[in-house]
Each structure stands twice: as structure tokens, then as C-alpha cells.
Amino acid sequence: MAAMICTILNDENPIMFAKQELHKYAKDVQQPIQYSFVLGLENDFIQNGFIEQPFFQESCSIDGFQLIQKENEIYIVGANPRSVLFGVYEVCKKLFGYKWASLFPNERINFNKEKILVPTINTGKMRRRGLVVENYDEPDFLLQLIDWAAKQYINELFFTFMLWDKVKHVVTKEIEKRGMSITLGGHSMHYLLNEIPVSEKKQINFADASWKDLIINKIRDFCSETSSIERLSLWPADIGIEDDQPFLAHYIAFSEQIKIQLPQINVEHIAYNAGLSWKMLELTDDVKSSKSVNTLFAYWGRNYQQSFRKEERAINALQKWRDATNVTQKQLTVFEYYSDHFMLGDLFPPLFKRIHEDIELFHQLGIENIVNLIVPYLPKENAAELDLLYPWKSIQLMNGYYFARLSWGDAFEEVEKDFYSIFEEHQAEVKQALGKIETVISGVSKWNVPLFPNRIIDPEKVENHHDLQLISNEIKKWKNDIEPLKGNAVKEIVDPYSMVCFYINYLYEKLDDYLSKWKDKRE
């Protein structure tokens, strides 16, 4: 078979990597590929006479790309180097039949040699589409995640400083060659203040100026390590405050000081109800929205069984931040917990329809930035063998796939079709099961606030609660609803279908166990 011809018009790192990726995935196509490819930026194509005039507008300058087919030649035109890579992956999906909907390595592909590529400008619905990685320092998984994320047009990876210190030697080059941006921050204040005695159990005093230059100098050193570090999002400790504290204004002022001293870095502050403290989340009369730094809105405590519009206090707070950031012309980003195995626990629900409705809502509100938190599943002490086999990486990625595709702007029906296609002859069965599970199990999240700081999966930690009967009744109903979906127990997870079979049986077994434990609390 003759080698496929691919020409690049630009030697920037992500474009050279895009060429490598195109050759890599074309090799697995079992039919001759009669096309040749040309890769580059819009200006490269104009200068070389391939196209006559620019077609990218400012609205698509972030990650826009276009595929132009001229007989047996295909141009992959990007608004930036990263989007050239995205264009290559689009060819791999539309022409070669790749899906990359899971982390399983074997994937059936179907080359469509009759496919006509419509010259439509592709661009992200959300300008910022990020994955936030909590302190999970398994390099192999992070490398898998980075590779998968670029294939789904994620443009940002977010690390805490502690995690970045542990993994940067492994992941930096992989992120750089994909052109993705890096955000550093998270709950890292105590880590950065390790030279100053500060109790881990106490909130940081942002009115104290004595330590601020020390931290900012440390941040400057981190940011000098790679040009991919483009944003700082440093949060307070995950500890609530008393409602009479002028906390948020002091914290925002510190973020503004960072921006003054590190003007080359994008800086944002978080608005977050740590410990269910609304004073840390809401924009009130005594707090001014910043004119120099952006805002990350992270409401913890959602009931994912219902629309965000029904979270009345939270949606009001979000709209106030939106209005205020519009006035100051600063960015507002929504932080969501779709892949958080702490908040959602081992009764982790698919949230496909909720993610779709959320992104549509945020877009209607004029919000163009969203990130999704990934928190690993950690088995409890004396965990059962089943818990140790729980494939949390593949399970959280189901929500991650919908998040990535829908935040890019793909139609929900198209995302569904691609996702369920990986289950081959079991598509209808899996779609029915996961749809039912989303309807039923997404209700676990509504108990996070009433049981705080515990969850519905923590009966051993709850001393007394007035809703014990209601909790038992709900779990019993969930168990009865899931039982008809249960099949034979799966001993080995080898593909997406066996993973889903394990997942359904696992949910049923956990519901049975929690029902017994909550019943014991009542006796």
C-alpha cells in the first residue's frame, strides 16, 4: 500500500504532531486512502496560494478549524496550531470512523471512502473546555487522559500545584505537543505556604500581607517552567467561614495582586461555597466584582436530578456574577462535578441529559467557559473485593465524553449515536439501561447537602438524622428500579460492554448493602 502523502505548511510543535497522528491512525485503516492532506494555519494557506482570503472570524479564533476537500486533496486549516490537531482528529472521526469514546484500546473503525467533507467552520460552543484533575498522581492514567482529551477537543488541563510538582516531568511534553493550555492552582494554599506554619484545619487569612510576596514568587517560578501554563486559579482552603467575615473581598484582592505582579498570566478567583458557606460564593453589596481578574463559579451541592434553574439561590448567584463580569468585561467560568467520585460516590450516575441541559442553559446565559472536575474513586477501609475491581476511570469517562463533545457544540443526538456505537450489537440494551440509571440514580446527589459533610454512601458516619426512613425508602426504590437491568456478574472487564455489565451489577449490590446499613440505623 502506497504511503499517504501529508504536507505541513508550518513547523509549530502541535502541527508536526498532527501530521504524526494522521499517519498513525491512517495505518489502521484496512483500505487504500486515496487522499493527500495539507495541514497548516489559515495564513499559511493564504501565503501558499491554497485559499484566497481568510474565513475565520474573531468568534472562532480560539479553536476554529475547517476541512476543505478538493477532489483527492484535503486541506486541514486551523485558526491556531492546536486546532490543526483537532482538524486531524475530525478527519479520523468523519473519514476513518474513529470514536475514542472510551479508554479501551481496541476500536472498530470503518473507512468511508465515499464521504464528502462539507467545508463547515468547526468551532467550540464553549471557548474554555477544561478538565480539572484533583490530586491523582498515577502517570499512566494522566497520559491516557491527556491523549483522550485532545481527541475530544478539550483545550485545558487544570492541576493543583502539589500534583503538578509530582507529574510535570511526565506530562509537560505531552501537553505541549498538543497545544493544550495548563491551569495551576486549586486548593494549594497550604502547600505553597509550607515554609510558614499554618494549620491545615484553618482557613487562610487573606488580610495578612506578610506571606503574599513569598507565594507570588513561588508561582512565578512554576510559570517559568513551560509556556503552556497560561492561567492561575488559586483557591482558598476547602474550609467554610462564618457569615460575618469580609472574606471574599480580601481573597479577590489577593488574586488582583497576583495579576499585577504576574501580568503575563491569566488569573481568576473562585466563588465557592466551601463548607456550605454562601458568603464565599455570593456577590453581595459589600463585595465588588474584580476589574482585573476572572471568576470561576463553583457551586457545590447540586441535585443533578433537576435543572440548575431549580437551585434558586445558586442560579441567582450565578446570574449576579454573570451580570457583574459582563460589566467589567471579565470571563466567567462554570465549574461542574460531573466526574467527581467523591461527591457522587460509588453510586455514580450517568449524567448525559443533565450535562446537555446544563450546557444549553449556560450558553443561553451568555457563559462561554466550563470545566469539569475529575476526582478518583477511593475505596473505604475494609473494602470488599468488588470495590477494588470498580473501574472508576472508565465510568467517570462516560460523563466526561458527553461533557467534552457537548461543550464543543456537537448535537446531543450525534453524541449519543457515537457513544452507544461502541457497544456494537448491545447498543439498544445499553442505551435503555443507562437512560434508566440516570433517571433513578442521579437522585443520590440531592442528599449531599442534608447529610453534609457526609453522603448517602456514609451511613456509618451518620449519628442521627430525621430522614432515616425516607433515605431507606429511596434506596429501596432505586434498588427495585435497577434490579430488572441486572444480568450475570462479570468476572473480567475487557471492553465497554463488560464494563457496563459490571457497573450495573455493582450498583445493585451497593444499593442492597446501603439499604441494609441504613435500616440498621433505624433500629
Side-chain angles (χ1 to χ4, degrees):
M1 187 184 299
M4 184 187 68
I5 298 173
C6 179
T7 304
I8 59 174
L9 306 177
N10 189 308
D11 61 359
E12 291 202 44
N13 205 2
I15 298 176
M16 292 192 292
F17 181 65
K19 179 180 178 179
Q20 295 171 19
E21 291 286 89
L22 185 58
H23 279 292
K24 173 183 175 180
Y25 290 106
K27 284 180 181 178
D28 289 335
V29 177
Q30 299 302 311
Q31 301 178 46
I33 298 174
Q34 304 297 336
Y35 301 103
S36 62
F37 296 86
V38 183
L39 281 58
L41 302 178
E42 180 183 63
N43 196 48
D44 300 327
F45 279 87
I46 294 173
Q47 289 181 352
N48 285 274
F50 288 99
I51 59 177
E52 295 181 357
Q53 57 187 14
F55 43 72
F56 288 129
Q57 304 297 319
E58 184 179 355
S59 61
C60 61
S61 62
I62 297 295
D63 288 324
F65 65 84
Q66 181 162 337
L67 310 180
I68 302 173
Q69 184 173 341
K70 294 194 173 182
E71 296 182 351
N72 289 335
E73 193 168 49
I74 294 175
Y75 303 161
I76 302 177
V77 188
N80 61 42
R82 173 175 64 219
S83 64
V84 175
L85 177 62
F86 292 170
V88 163
Y89 291 141
E90 186 78 1
V91 165
C92 290
K93 294 173 185 177
K94 296 290 193 258
L95 203 59
F96 303 162
Y98 286 93
K99 298 292 188 296
W100 296 306
S102 75
L103 294 178
F104 291 94
N106 297 323
E107 181 171 5
R108 180 182 295 179
I109 59 175
N110 181 26
F111 175 48
N112 185 355
K113 63 181 179 180
E114 307 299 330
K115 178 74 175 181
I116 302 297
L117 297 174
V118 179
T120 303
I121 295 177
N122 296 266
T123 185
K125 184 170 194 167
M126 293 287 178
R127 294 169 68 89
R128 179 182 180 186
R129 306 173 303 281
L131 298 179
V132 182
V133 186
E134 286 275 298
N135 289 314
Y136 188 70
D137 59 347
E138 184 182 308
D140 288 345
F141 170 63
L142 292 176
L143 291 175
Q144 271 189 305
L145 186 67
I146 291 165
D147 179 68
W148 175 88
K151 290 178 167 69
Q152 306 305 337
Y153 315 154
I154 292 294
N155 59 13
E156 173 198 341
L157 292 163
F158 186 133
F159 300 88
T160 62
F161 280 95
M162 180 168 64
L163 178 58
W164 183 248
D165 252 350
K166 291 179 180 179
V167 303
K168 60 189 177 185
H169 66 287
V170 176
V171 304
T172 300
K173 288 185 178 179
E174 295 303 315
I175 295 171
E176 287 177 346
K177 70 185 182 183
R178 290 168 172 83
M180 302 164 80
S181 71
I182 297 168
T183 295
L184 294 184
H187 295 301
S188 298
M189 288 297 301
H190 284 98
Y191 182 71
L192 293 172
L193 285 169
N194 62 348
E195 297 173 18
I196 299 173
V198 180
S199 171
E200 291 270 351
K201 296 181 180 180
K202 288 186 178 181
Q203 186 54 265
I204 304 299
N205 178 13
F206 286 94
D208 180 2
S210 63
W211 47 262
K212 292 180 180 178
D213 284 337
L214 172 66
I215 278 193
I216 294 172
N217 287 333
K218 284 187 177 183
I219 293 169
R220 180 183 288 108
D221 291 340
F222 274 100
C223 293
S224 67
E225 295 171 347
T226 170
S227 60
S228 295
I229 299 173
E230 297 180 7
R231 182 181 289 105
L232 180 80
S233 184
L234 183 57
W235 312 338
D238 195 6
I239 301 168
I241 61 166
E242 298 296 328
D243 281 346
D244 60 349
Q245 291 187 31
F247 176 85
L248 193 54
H250 290 307
Y251 161 61
I252 292 175
F254 171 57
S255 301
E256 292 171 332
Q257 182 178 339
I258 297 174
K259 180 62 181 175
I260 291 171
Q261 295 183 225
L262 302 176
Q264 76 282 10
I265 295 293
N266 292 319
V267 179
E268 70 184 3
H269 72 87
I270 194 171
Y272 173 55
N273 55 328
L276 304 188
S277 174
W278 286 91
K279 191 76 172 179
M280 300 172 72
L281 176 77
E282 291 178 317
L283 186 62
T284 55
D285 292 340
D286 59 335
V287 177
K288 301 290 185 182
S289 178
S290 177
K291 295 180 181 179
S292 60
V293 301
N294 301 315
T295 301
L296 178 67
F297 183 89
Y299 169 61
W300 192 95
R302 282 192 64 182
N303 174 4
Y304 279 120
Q305 203 167 43
Q306 66 183 20
S307 168
F308 203 155
R309 289 192 183 278
K310 293 187 177 180
E311 307 279 357
E312 293 185 12
R313 191 167 179 178
I315 190 68
N316 287 338
L318 178 61
Q319 289 171 320
K320 284 185 178 180
W321 280 111
R322 178 207 57 189
D323 294 343
T325 52
N326 282 346
V327 169
T328 57
Q329 296 185 309
K330 305 310 297 180
Q331 293 181 6
L332 175 64
T333 300
V334 173
F335 182 103
E336 280 295 347
Y337 304 81
Y338 304 131
S339 299
D340 182 349
H341 258 93
F342 174 80
M343 190 182 84
L344 297 169
D346 50 20
L347 297 176
F348 188 93
L351 295 172
F352 307 158
K353 293 179 181 177
R354 175 59 50 234
I355 294 168
H356 176 222
E357 292 176 9
D358 280 355
I359 289 174
E360 291 302 308
L361 171 60
F362 300 145
H363 191 257
Q364 290 168 13
L365 293 174
I367 297 168
E368 299 182 314
N369 308 285
I370 187 168
V371 296
N372 178 38
L373 176 65
I374 297 174
V375 176
Y377 166 70
L378 297 176
K380 296 180 180 180
E381 291 184 14
N382 304 315
E385 182 180 0
L386 205 62
D387 295 319
L388 301 179
L389 297 174
Y390 178 64
W392 71 267
K393 296 168 190 171
S394 293
I395 290 170
Q396 64 83 18
L397 197 77
M398 296 193 298
N399 286 346
Y401 181 74
Y402 275 77
F403 167 79
R405 292 284 306 272
L406 294 169
S407 63
W408 174 254
D410 291 332
F412 182 74
E413 294 74 19
E414 180 185 349
V415 178
E416 268 198 325
K417 180 182 176 182
D418 287 346
F419 175 73
Y420 288 111
S421 72
I422 68 174
F423 300 100
E424 299 180 348
E425 68 269 21
H426 304 289
Q427 291 181 54
E429 171 194 346
V430 173
K431 183 175 181 179
Q432 180 185 17
L434 294 183
K436 179 69 171 179
I437 292 169
E438 174 168 4
T439 300
V440 174
I441 301 299
S442 56
V444 301
S445 57
K446 74 180 181 182
W447 288 102
N448 285 329
V449 170
L451 294 173
F452 186 82
N454 304 308
R455 302 154 295 171
I456 203 166
I457 69 168
D458 298 318
E460 71 279 2
K461 297 180 182 178
V462 178
E463 295 297 330
N464 292 294
H465 197 274
H466 62 278
D467 280 335
L468 291 178
Q469 181 65 54
L470 180 58
I471 291 171
S472 294
N473 290 345
E474 288 234 294
I475 296 176
K476 183 177 180 180
K477 182 180 183 306
W478 298 339
K479 176 189 167 187
N480 291 340
D481 287 342
I482 297 299
E483 186 170 16
L485 307 176
K486 187 168 68 77
N488 295 326
V490 175
K491 295 182 179 179
E492 187 177 5
I493 300 171
V494 295
D495 58 18
Y497 180 64
S498 57
M499 182 273 291
V500 166
C501 291
F502 180 97
Y503 168 60
I504 295 171
N505 281 277
Y506 180 83
L507 283 177
Y508 181 82
E509 294 298 327
K510 298 304 292 186
L511 287 167
D512 187 55
D513 181 48
Y514 291 134
L515 178 59
S516 175
K517 290 177 179 176
W518 281 105
K519 281 183 175 179
D520 289 345
K521 304 291 291 186
R522 292 161 38 208
E523 296 175 357

